[in-house]
């Protein structure tokens, strides 16, 4: 199943994102990610959208918790919800 992982960064934590970015990207590349990218505000990264394939919601939540960004305390909020591809 596909799950959308929607994360919003804590305000003022861009440096945490930048310092953790390489390990975050490596994590994405090592797992069944369908698509991923940052949210932007005024051209500055401020969150993430990742669509990941996992067997169930609990596995998707565990995947999100394993993200190096989450371990670094970057996120103010994380939402994991089942997602259905319609176009693309």
């Amino acid at each position: 199943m596909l799950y959308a992982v929607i994360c919003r960064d804590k305000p003022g934590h861009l440096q945490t994102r930048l310092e953790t970015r390489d390990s975050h990207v490596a994590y994405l590349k090592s797992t069944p990610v369908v698509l991923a990218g940052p949210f932007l505000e005024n051209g500055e990264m401020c969150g993430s959208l990742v669509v990941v394939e996992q067997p169930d919601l609990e596995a998707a939540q565990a995947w999100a918790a394993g993200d190096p960004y989450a371990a670094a305390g970057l996120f103010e909020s994380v939402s994991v919800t089942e997602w259905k591809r319609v176009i693309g």
Side-chain angles (χ1 to χ4, degrees):
M1 302 183 96
L2 297 177
Y3 293 87
V5 180
I6 301 168
C7 308
R8 292 291 183 176
D9 296 358
K10 292 176 183 172
H13 279 69
L14 179 60
Q15 191 59 39
T16 301
R17 175 176 278 275
L18 297 174
E19 291 170 356
T20 315
R21 186 166 168 73
D22 288 344
S23 57
H24 165 75
V25 171
Y27 182 70
L28 296 183
K29 289 181 178 181
S30 72
T31 60
V33 170
V34 175
L35 61 90
F39 292 118
L40 303 174
E41 287 181 1
N42 300 317
E44 193 171 279
M45 293 179 287
C46 62
S48 302
L49 167 63
V50 180
V51 176
V52 63
E53 189 167 349
Q54 293 291 325
D56 54 39
L57 178 60
E58 292 76 21
Q61 290 169 329
W63 179 91
D67 185 338
Y69 280 167
L74 175 61
F75 299 133
E76 179 174 65
S77 66
V78 176
S79 171
V80 180
T81 186
E82 191 174 341
W83 182 77
K84 180 179 178 181
R85 181 192 309 248
V86 175
I87 298 174

